[in-house]
Amino acid sequence: MTRFVSVGECMVEMTPQGKSGEYTMSFAGDTLNTAWYIRQLCPDWGVDYVTAVGRDQVSDKMVAFMSDAGIGTDHVRRIDDRTAGLYLISLDRGERHFHYWRSQAAARLLAQDGPTLLKAFTGGDVIYFSGITLAILEGAGRDKLLDAVARARTRGKTIVFDTNLRLALWENPDQMRDWITKAAVLSHIVLPSHDDEAQHLGDRDGLATRDRYAALGPATVVVKNGPGLIHYQHYGEKGVVEPAIVSDLVDTTAAGDSFNAGFLATLLAGLPVEDAINAASNVARRVIKGRGALVSI
């Protein structure tokens, strides 16, 4: 049985409901979303989440939510005097805009306990984290996380990294680039999004994004690109996939996260890389026809 270990921040999600002006509360976050979709797509896999939460009621509900979804919570740390971060979604013709409150988020301390990370990774086959995971960490957390990832790699674990660039979480672009590069160097599979890379790192197209990350050494790079061409490199094989057009878009929240889940579920089952990209696109298309980050597929 494959065991998928996802590392990062789960937050309280406030999602608008139609034109009523009302919001519903749920829980989501980039790496949690991918774990949730992996749980749906791969019922025979074990799925664990590594994070930190507070000891308050909302944190209790968050952990219960993960557990009820079949996501393992043995490696969720409890932090006194901290709570869960929160984000609110606003929509403009299906495109989402996020508003965050996370200064006291316990997840910012998720990597402070190195032995906890190593224990979580020892039991996993696939270790998955993101640029957001790195960005939110306080103190020496980034070094501790990448040290644990490097150790996991030497023990034969498959390392998967979604670059997920969020400049607002970093001190400056150079700091972001340095840490993202360090993480990509340690990874077997890198899953960037071209729109982020173009905005923050100046890539002219998906091909430039692919080649920049491929030069760092990962075996597989797949560049998500919304409705545009998806460039990839997989063990030296290079190519491009054109996804089908979506005409009834509702909410693009978690499009990339669900794409990642569909891609990994298919690729790690031994199917060809283009089949995995097409499967991933199909998953993302279903997700963006619903509201919020977590949509039943």
Side-chain angles (χ1 to χ4, degrees):
M1 179 182 70
T2 298
R3 181 159 290 276
F4 182 85
V5 178
S6 188
V7 187
E9 179 186 31
C10 182
M11 304 183 74
V12 177
E13 176 193 75
M14 301 301 294
T15 308
Q17 298 301 305
K19 298 180 180 180
S20 67
E22 297 180 353
Y23 283 77
T24 59
M25 187 184 87
S26 186
F27 301 101
D30 65 334
T31 57
L32 187 280
N33 301 342
T34 299
W36 193 87
Y37 285 111
I38 285 282
R39 175 76 280 162
Q40 286 197 63
L41 294 167
C42 303
D44 57 335
W45 287 20
V47 180
D48 290 328
Y49 199 60
V50 180
T51 192
V53 301
R55 296 186 183 278
D56 55 344
Q57 187 179 59
V58 71
S59 296
D60 292 343
K61 290 182 177 179
M62 179 179 288
V63 174
F65 172 83
M66 296 180 202
S67 182
D68 290 346
I71 297 171
T73 59
D74 288 349
H75 307 295
V76 175
R77 296 180 60 214
R78 294 282 189 156
I79 307 293
D80 293 331
D81 302 321
R82 293 282 180 125
T83 186
L86 178 147
Y87 71 91
L88 182 147
I89 299 172
S90 58
L91 296 173
D92 181 10
R93 294 185 295 274
E95 288 299 325
R96 78 276 197 224
H97 302 276
F98 297 104
H99 313 274
Y100 292 97
W101 295 265
R102 56 158 46 105
S103 61
Q104 291 301 306
R108 294 168 62 88
L109 304 178
L110 72 85
Q112 293 299 316
D113 186 353
T116 295
L117 286 178
L118 292 175
K119 182 179 179 181
F121 292 176
T122 296
D125 301 296
V126 181
I127 311 301
Y128 176 80
F129 68 114
S130 75
I132 292 176
T133 307
L134 276 175
I136 65 167
L137 297 178
E138 296 180 6
R142 293 169 187 160
D143 286 310
K144 290 183 178 181
L145 175 59
L146 291 191
D147 178 68
V149 167
R151 290 170 181 258
R153 179 177 174 128
T154 64
R155 295 172 181 170
K157 314 301 183 181
T158 298
I159 310 300
V160 183
F161 178 57
D162 179 348
T163 60
N164 226 344
L165 305 181
R166 297 293 183 269
L167 183 57
L169 298 176
W170 299 92
E171 293 181 9
N172 54 65
D174 289 339
Q175 182 195 49
M176 179 177 69
R177 180 192 290 268
D178 288 347
W179 283 102
I180 294 297
T181 299
K182 290 177 183 178
V185 166
L186 292 174
S187 302
H188 298 97
I189 300 173
V190 178
L191 301 168
S193 294
H194 171 63
D195 55 350
D196 291 345
E197 307 287 335
Q199 179 182 358
H200 299 303
L201 299 180
D203 291 348
R204 66 186 182 278
D205 53 28
L207 182 62
T209 300
R210 183 200 71 187
D211 289 348
R212 181 164 51 81
Y213 282 109
L216 300 176
T220 304
V221 178
V222 176
V223 183
K224 292 165 287 183
N225 195 21
L229 298 177
I230 299 171
H231 289 271
Y232 71 86
Q233 180 167 326
H234 180 62
Y235 288 97
E237 174 191 353
K238 299 179 181 181
V240 61
V241 173
E242 183 174 4
I245 300 299
V246 177
S247 59
D248 49 351
L249 169 67
V250 174
D251 180 356
T252 58
T253 305
D257 306 329
S258 59
F259 179 102
N260 293 350
F263 178 75
L264 295 172
T266 309
L267 186 75
L268 298 179
L271 276 72
V273 64
E274 290 202 0
D275 288 358
I277 292 170
N278 283 317
S281 296
N282 288 336
V283 171
R285 277 197 296 274
R286 296 198 296 272
V287 168
I288 63 178
K289 294 180 181 181
R291 292 192 180 277
L294 305 181
V295 176
S296 295
I297 56 174

